[in-house]
Amino acid sequence: GGGWQVNAAPSIPTEKWVVGGSLGVVSNVLSFRAINEDMSLTNLRLQLRQPARASDIARIYLYDGNTLITSKVPSFVSGVEDFVFPVGGTGSFIIPKDYYKEMTVKVDLASIGTTLPGTAGQFVAVDFDGDGTALGKNTAVGRSSGNAIRTSTQMDALSSGVRYFRSLPVISRLSLPVTTLTSGNNVIYKFSVTAQNGDVALRKIVFQTAITGNATLSNFTLWDTTDNKRVNAAFSTAATNPLLIKIV
């Protein structure tokens, strides 16, 4: 017969920040590999990594590419959630022999409010539970042999997770009035900031500048063009490029 294993996929995203109530947020991407024969996944156990709680996730989805395999409202009893799949047809997940196949885990996140379960700043990660003690919770059936085989992966496949907030700033780059520097004051960068779901107070904005040739930039001013007022300023003191400028 054959065998199979699970790892975090190379396409797994870095930690993502989203607003509470966001739907279909990618939480993990798992890479499955079958050995010697095609394998039909029948049982899969996922775990919720602390400090996340079951109430942080309103619904969880498993995808094969763009095809939805299954979804449900999870309970994460003792921090784990079990999934059962048919060996074929709709809702099945078949891992091809001596090849890799990815499964994408998506979640609907809880909304944040006075009477709502969400918590601002909460980190949520859903991982493959490979080091659990429950036998048969990660099992596949060989398509040729018909044998039920547990995965050889005895370690967790960790995600980068997501973190959700009541609101987030969204920064968009705007076009410059001119693109050639001259002596005197110049607009070298222009952007807009919008709040995604509610008021946001900006604490710090960091810019990175790269200077080539004989050009020198002596100081920088952050200007609020909506209210036509100066916000703050910074001065160039570093002798190397690129130069980090922090305006608080």
Side-chain angles (χ1 to χ4, degrees), residues 2 4 37 39-40 42-43 138-142 145-151:
W4 62 287
E37 62 177 327
M39 304 294 296
S40 290
T42 55
N43 300 85
N138 293 306
T139 307
V141 171
S145 67
N147 295 333
I149 303 169
R150 293 195 295 271
T151 179

Side-chain angles (χ1 to χ4, degrees), residues 19 112 120 165-170 193-203:
V19 297
I112 300 172
F165 300 83
R166 184 185 295 271
S167 183
L168 284 173
V170 178
V193 184
T194 56
Q196 208 168 358
N197 195 42
D199 293 348
V200 172
L202 295 179
R203 177 179 176 272

Side-chain angles (χ1 to χ4, degrees), residues 3-10 29-35 39-46 62-63 69 85 93-105 128 138-140 151 153 157:
W4 62 287
Q5 56 189 231
V6 189
N7 291 285
V29 183
L30 300 174
S31 177
F32 294 77
R33 182 172 184 246
I35 302 167
M39 304 294 296
S40 290
L41 185 65
T42 55
N43 300 85
L44 178 69
R45 171 167 282 190
L46 300 180
L62 304 182
Y63 278 87
I69 306 169
F85 308 86
F93 186 79
I94 299 174
I95 313 164
K97 170 187 173 182
D98 299 328
Y99 202 69
Y100 294 90
K101 190 172 189 179
E102 292 186 354
M103 175 187 290
T104 302
V105 181
F128 168 75
N138 293 306
T139 307
T151 179
T153 303

Side-chain angles (χ1 to χ4, degrees), residues 47-62:
Q47 64 182 11
L48 192 61
R49 197 191 320 163
Q50 294 182 340
R53 307 157 306 178
S55 58
D56 292 316
I57 299 178
R59 194 169 189 88
I60 188 167
Y61 307 83
L62 304 182

